[in-house]
């Protein structure tokens, strides 16, 4: 006997309301009225013979049955979205979408990408930038380059390169009225900082170098992306805390110098992440081989 599927509109209303825990927000997302959402949820509950939502202290909550039901409904809608994307994207086999951090794209990936395009002229590479972890079930992305320890559930993580912390500056700061000759000279220079994930870099390095960590609190300049911090160092504005992938090309080309021989290894690095358990498309396999080799090549 074939079981009858519930109303598709009811399932859409349930998934949106469960995600937002709000009929009002679900209605706004689906471009219908809150009354329509209420009717669709009520009809779905009648079809299933199960209560899905309860109100608790003016808040909406899922019943235990709804919590069990939701993952399957959400997965079904994700599968529909992916199937539709595959149907409508005629050039899917030729388009490779890679997500990464904006600074890594600017300072490491983009300068090398011409080599991949020359080797694989039939692949159209599209780079997107984000600081969020990738959801391969939701995001229209083939692979990503992320920083961490490689322990992300549900993804394949291929090691690319390690990371070290060390100060960098323009060659001009080694000369002048207050030459930068030893770490103690940092007190006479502007320190360049990067906020968010890299905000503690200076304190960590100063501690490892045996210097007072309060030097990191002297007046300086803070940027929200590390490639801006690096550019400020290139322009001679101050001394930046460099990370290997972001500064190695500029060091090789003489735009930056490393004034001290003290580097602090980090406990994380860069990985190429891709969906786990899926058969690789040729475009992804080609990119993986290339980017792993590129990461092992010195600047």
């Amino acid at each position: 006997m074939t079981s009858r599927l519930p109303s598709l509109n009811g399932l859409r209303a349930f998934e949106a309301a469960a995600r937002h825990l709000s009929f009002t927000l679900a209605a706004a997302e689906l471009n219908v009225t809150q009354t329509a959402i209420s009717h669709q949820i009520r009809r779905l509950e009648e079809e299933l013979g199960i209560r899905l939502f309860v109100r608790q202290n003016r808040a909406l909550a899922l019943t235990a049955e709804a919590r069990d039901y939701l993952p399957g409904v959400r997965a079904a809608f994700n599968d529909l979205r992916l199937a539709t994307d595959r149907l409508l994207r005629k050039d899917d086999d030729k388009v490779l979408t890679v997500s990464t951090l904006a600074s890594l794209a600017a300072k490491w990936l983009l300068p090398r990408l011409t080599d991949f395009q020359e080797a694989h002229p039939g692949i159209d590479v599209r780079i997107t930038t984000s600081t969020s972890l990738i959801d391969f079930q939701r995001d229209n992305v083939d692979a990503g380059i992320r920083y961490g320890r490689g322990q992300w559930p549900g993804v394949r993580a291929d090691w690319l390169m390690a990371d070290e912390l060390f100060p960098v500056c323009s060659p001009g700061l080694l000369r002048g009225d207050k030459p930068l000759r030893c770490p103690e000279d940092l007190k006479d220079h502007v320190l360049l900082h990067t906020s968010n994930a890299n905000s503690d870099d200076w304190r960590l390095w100063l501690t490892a170098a045996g210097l007072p960590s309060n030097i990191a609190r002297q007046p300086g300049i803070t940027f929200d992306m590390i490639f801006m911090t690096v550019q400020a160092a290139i322009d001679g504005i101050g001394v930046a805390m460099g990370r290997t992938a972001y500064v190695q090309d500029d060091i090789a080309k003489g735009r930056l110098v490393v004034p001290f021989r003290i580097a602090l290894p980090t406990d994380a690095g860069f990985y190429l992440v891709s969906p786990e358990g899926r058969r690789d498309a040729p475009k992804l396999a080609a990119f993986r081989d290339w980017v792993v080799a590129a990461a092992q090549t010195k600047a």
Side-chain angles (χ1 to χ4, degrees):
M1 179 178 178
T2 303
S3 60
R4 179 170 167 268
L5 288 174
S7 160
L8 183 60
N9 283 338
L11 290 173
R12 289 179 67 218
F14 165 64
E15 193 277 333
R19 182 160 23 91
H20 294 294
L21 287 179
S22 166
F23 285 1
T24 302
L25 294 177
E29 177 182 317
L30 300 178
N31 198 27
V32 297
T33 65
Q34 182 178 347
T35 301
I37 293 290
S38 298
H39 285 323
Q40 290 167 1
I41 295 293
R42 188 179 304 115
R43 179 183 172 188
L44 179 63
E45 289 177 329
E46 291 171 354
E47 289 182 87
L48 297 173
I50 295 172
R51 192 178 184 189
L52 299 172
F53 292 95
V54 292
R55 292 195 175 276
Q56 297 177 340
N57 299 326
R58 298 182 180 179
L60 198 63
L62 295 172
T63 64
E65 292 84 357
R67 288 195 297 271
D68 289 340
Y69 192 38
L70 179 60
V73 173
R74 183 166 291 161
F77 277 111
N78 282 334
D79 286 345
L80 284 171
R81 292 186 190 103
L82 290 172
T84 303
D85 284 344
R86 285 193 293 268
L87 176 67
L88 298 178
R89 286 178 62 189
K90 305 298 184 183
D91 59 351
D92 185 65
D93 290 340
K94 299 179 181 178
V95 176
L96 178 75
T97 303
V98 179
S99 172
T100 188
L101 304 170
S103 292
L104 188 70
K107 300 303 295 182
W108 188 84
L109 181 59
L110 297 184
R112 292 163 170 76
L113 203 54
T114 299
D115 293 340
F116 178 77
Q117 292 177 307
E118 289 177 351
H120 304 279
I123 299 176
D124 180 10
V125 181
R126 298 180 183 178
I127 305 298
T128 67
T129 61
S130 172
T131 58
S132 302
L133 292 178
I134 301 166
D135 183 343
F136 288 108
Q137 293 295 323
R138 180 196 64 208
D139 302 329
N140 191 19
V141 170
D142 297 297
I145 300 176
R146 284 293 180 265
Y147 182 79
R149 296 178 178 84
Q151 298 171 347
W152 299 287
V155 300
R156 169 177 173 174
D158 290 274
W159 170 256
L160 294 180
M161 52 191 164
D163 213 16
E164 286 188 329
L165 299 177
F166 48 90
V168 292
C169 65
S170 165
L173 290 193
L174 301 184
R175 306 179 294 274
D177 296 337
K178 297 179 180 179
L180 191 61
R181 296 193 180 102
C182 62
E184 288 77 10
D185 293 334
L186 287 168
K187 68 182 185 302
D188 299 321
H189 292 267
V190 174
L191 299 190
L192 306 175
H193 304 264
T194 308
S195 59
N196 301 323
N198 307 115
S199 60
D200 212 26
D201 285 359
W202 267 113
R203 186 190 65 79
L204 292 172
W205 184 87
L206 289 165
T207 301
L211 295 172
S213 60
N214 60 8
I215 293 177
R217 294 194 294 272
Q218 67 191 39
I221 304 175
T222 300
F223 302 89
D224 63 353
M225 290 189 179
I226 195 169
F227 79 88
M228 299 169 65
T229 311
V230 171
Q231 186 59 50
I234 292 171
D235 293 340
I237 295 173
V239 185
M241 183 52 60
R243 284 177 172 262
T244 309
Y246 299 113
V247 299
Q248 59 183 349
D249 288 355
D250 292 314
I251 293 170
K253 291 179 171 60
R255 294 189 287 259
L256 289 174
V257 293
V258 182
F260 320 119
R261 299 191 179 192
I262 303 173
L264 176 64
T266 66
D267 60 352
F270 290 96
Y271 292 79
L272 178 73
V273 297
S274 54
E276 188 178 55
R278 291 189 199 171
R279 181 178 178 182
D280 281 349
K283 62 183 180 182
L284 177 54
F287 183 78
R288 179 183 290 115
D289 291 344
W290 171 80
V291 76
V292 169
Q296 295 171 355
T297 303
K298 295 289 186 181

